[in-house]
């Protein structure tokens, strides 16, 4: 189970590349809901580590990463997924056993061209993605994996389960931070104490 989660996260981190409207709200403040943990990964530094490179070459990780990376490269040939990704922030909902999950990917360069191309591609019957619009927010759904994705701005994307991605989009649309983690003082204190200069940092709380 743990291996599959790690593999999925690494696959996502290897698979996408960047974007750039004004960053009005920090990613951590876009999460809404009840969370038991939050973590961040500095992909810019971590991707240079020997251990990361070794894990990334494992077939179960590399296969998933390459398939998605190729998709974005097709949409915008200037993208280099492994080099362009900057930060990855993951929140773990209290009902994670129900397969609820959410990841925000932050990138160094604009995804504007890829987003325009994805919009056109999703209209094709053979596309891996279908396009859904609700409350004037656009979502892209991977037909095989049933993963939801929405564009936060041209340097950030949210990927995860339907409920969690819609919650991120709602917070972003409001134009201000929902700051849900602050409602849970124990978790927020752990988040504040975490050394975010590390390649990987995390904060969590124990539940009954």
């Amino acid at each position: 189970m743990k291996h599959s989660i790690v593999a999925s996260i690494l696959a996502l981190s290897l698979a996408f590349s960047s974007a750039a409207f004004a960053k009005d709200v920090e990613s951590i403040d876009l999460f809404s809901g009840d969370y038991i943990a939050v973590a961040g990964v500095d992909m810019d530094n971590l991707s240079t580590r020997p251990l990361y490179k070794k894990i990334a070459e494992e077939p179960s990780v590399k296969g998933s990463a390459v398939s998605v990376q190729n998709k974005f490269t097709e949409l915008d040939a200037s993208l280099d997924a492994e080099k362009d990704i900057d930060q990855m922030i993951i929140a773990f909902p209290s009902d994670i056993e129900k397969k609820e999950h959410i990841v925000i990917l932050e990138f160094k360069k604009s995804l504007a061209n890829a987003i325009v191309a994805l919009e056109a591609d999703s209209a094709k019957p053979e596309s891996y993605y279908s396009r859904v619009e609700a409350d004037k927010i656009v979502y892209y759904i991977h037909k095989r994996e049933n993963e939801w994705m929405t564009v936060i701005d041209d340097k950030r994307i949210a990927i995860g389960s339907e409920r969690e991605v819609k919650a991120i989009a709602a917070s972003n649309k409001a134009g201000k931070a929902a700051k849900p983690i602050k409602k849970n003082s124990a978790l927020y204190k752990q988040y504040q104490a975490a050394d975010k200069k590390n390649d990987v940092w995390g904060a969590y709380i124990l539940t009954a």
Side-chain angles (χ1 to χ4, degrees):
M1 177 63 176
K2 289 183 179 179
H3 180 272
S4 64
I5 292 175
V6 171
S8 298
I9 290 174
L10 283 171
L12 283 171
S13 67
L14 286 168
F16 292 87
S17 298
S18 94
F21 295 117
K23 189 176 179 180
D24 296 327
V25 180
E26 292 296 318
S27 295
I28 195 68
D29 288 329
L30 289 172
F31 294 107
S32 61
D34 184 19
Y35 297 97
I36 57 173
V38 62
V41 181
D42 184 343
M43 295 304 304
D44 196 29
N45 289 330
L46 188 63
S47 62
T48 65
R49 306 294 191 215
L51 178 60
Y52 173 87
K53 291 181 177 181
K54 180 177 178 61
I55 295 174
E57 287 300 316
E58 290 190 10
S60 61
V61 176
K62 188 174 182 179
S64 298
V66 168
S67 64
V68 183
Q69 180 176 342
N70 288 346
K71 185 63 177 176
F72 269 76
T73 302
E74 289 173 8
L75 298 174
D76 185 347
S78 71
L79 295 177
D80 185 326
E82 187 171 356
K83 293 180 180 179
D84 293 337
I85 193 167
D86 186 16
Q87 298 281 334
M88 175 169 58
I89 301 176
I90 312 144
F92 299 87
S94 58
D95 56 352
I96 192 172
E97 71 278 359
K98 296 181 180 179
K99 298 184 179 180
E100 298 292 348
H101 58 287
I102 185 68
V103 176
I104 290 180
L105 298 174
E106 299 182 351
F107 305 102
K108 301 175 188 175
K109 58 187 287 188
S110 177
L111 274 178
N113 291 338
I115 293 167
V116 170
L118 178 60
E119 182 74 6
D121 180 78
S122 63
K124 301 175 182 178
E126 66 273 18
S127 175
Y128 283 110
Y129 294 93
S130 59
R131 181 187 187 278
V132 174
E133 186 170 345
D135 297 324
K136 298 182 179 180
I137 299 173
V138 175
Y139 303 94
Y140 301 96
I141 309 169
H142 195 287
K143 295 176 181 177
R144 291 184 179 177
E145 303 296 334
N146 196 32
E147 285 282 296
W148 284 59
M149 177 176 76
T150 193
V151 176
I152 298 172
D153 53 39
D154 76 329
K155 283 190 174 178
R156 290 186 293 174
I157 291 175
I159 304 172
S161 57
E162 177 182 354
R163 185 192 73 185
E164 294 298 318
V165 169
K166 284 185 173 180
I168 292 289
S171 294
N172 190 50
K173 183 180 179 181
K176 59 182 179 180
K179 300 180 181 178
I181 290 178
K182 292 183 179 180
K183 294 178 182 178
N184 186 325
S185 59
L187 179 57
Y188 191 66
K189 286 178 180 178
Q190 293 295 323
Y191 163 72
Q192 287 181 310
D195 187 352
K196 300 170 194 68
K197 293 181 181 178
N198 290 335
D199 292 348
V200 179
W201 58 264
Y204 67 94
I205 55 173
L206 299 176
T207 58

